[in-house]
Amino acid sequence: MGASTIAANVSTMIDAESIAKRVRELGEQITRDYASSSLVLVCVLKGSFIFTADLARAIDLPLRVEFLGVRSYGEGTKSSGVVQITHDLSRPIEGEDILIVEDIVDTGLTIAHLLELLKTRKPASVKVCSLLHKPARTRVVVPIDYLGFTIEDKFVVGYGLDWAERYRNLPFIGLVESSS
Ligand code: 5GP
């Protein structure tokens, strides 16, 4: 096999094996915590689609998966603080146990907004599972009930996360080198 084309100018921050191991651990923890209930994973699009796909398979419980489209960033890398719903859940969630699955909590504004929105729909519970957290940029403190990795204040791509819609299909989390 030749060298990867898409990864050519990306340095690895968290490799695929470490992600897989952590996702398995999170799945086991969630399986234990929700043992007696029926769970709804709310995948926050687009960045969480790969994480949700892997996490769902690491949870040994009956569950359903819903998708919530959210736009909080433009094509740049700065949070606007404005969260727009671009795709809503397909069914009501009243009385259900909701686990919001996020790719990354950065300022916290997106999750804070989603928690408020989903609570108005009267679920039995709402918790948050995020693959990544960048505490250095916190503007609102939000509970992260299940966390994959804490990272430093760098813009990361891969494993679902994009830069202007690119790099989502990288199998690892990395940093784009500015030189190419
Ligand atoms: P927050 O509202 O917490 O500031 O931002 C959450 C959203 O911003 C994430 O779901 C993600 O879409 C985007 N985001 C924040 N940091 C990064 C990053 O380092 N890389 C990428 N690709 N997206 C990020």
Side-chain angles (χ1 to χ4, degrees):
M1 282 224 292
S4 167
T5 306
I6 51 165
N9 63 335
V10 183
S11 61
T12 305
M13 181 189 264
I14 308 171
D15 64 32
E17 206 179 303
S18 307
I19 298 172
K21 178 170 177 282
R22 191 72 191 110
V23 171
R24 274 198 305 277
E25 290 168 355
L26 290 172
E28 284 165 11
Q29 200 184 337
I30 292 165
T31 302
R32 282 195 300 274
D33 291 355
Y34 286 87
S36 62
S37 50
S38 105
L39 180 61
V40 182
L41 299 185
V42 173
C43 168
V44 184
L45 295 173
K46 296 177 190 173
S48 304
F49 78 109
I50 291 179
F51 179 38
T52 304
D54 285 345
L55 184 68
R57 285 176 288 182
I59 299 173
D60 186 18
L61 290 172
L63 55 78
R64 61 190 191 91
V65 181
E66 286 283 345
F67 298 93
L68 193 57
V70 163
R71 191 180 294 137
S72 58
Y73 271 54
E75 302 266 293
T77 60
K78 284 262 153 42
S79 178
S80 62
V82 177
V83 179
Q84 186 192 346
I85 302 296
T86 57
H87 175 93
D88 208 341
L89 307 180
S90 70
R91 304 234 302 255
I93 53 168
E94 187 167 348
E96 299 192 271
D97 290 309
I98 306 304
L99 184 60
I100 302 175
V101 183
E102 252 293 25
D103 49 1
I104 183 164
V105 175
D106 185 18
T107 63
L109 290 167
T110 304
I111 282 292
H113 183 89
L114 294 183
L115 282 169
E116 244 178 70
L117 172 77
L118 294 181
K119 281 176 183 168
T120 64
R121 300 182 186 184
K122 305 202 170 19
S125 67
V126 191
K127 288 192 172 179
V128 174
C129 177
S130 183
L131 181 67
L132 304 172
H133 182 213
K134 261 192 232 175
R137 301 202 354 122
T138 301
R139 283 175 60 189
V140 196
V141 176
V142 289
I144 306 176
D145 303 281
Y146 304 95
L147 175 63
F149 303 91
T150 299
I151 61 167
E152 56 185 312
D153 185 10
K154 297 264 171 65
F155 192 82
V156 292
V157 298
Y159 197 69
L161 289 119
D162 76 312
W163 184 14
E165 294 301 326
R166 284 183 61 202
Y167 301 109
R168 292 196 198 276
N169 56 331
L170 278 182
F172 59 89
I173 304 280
L175 300 167
V176 180
E177 309 292 345
S178 50
S179 59
S180 96

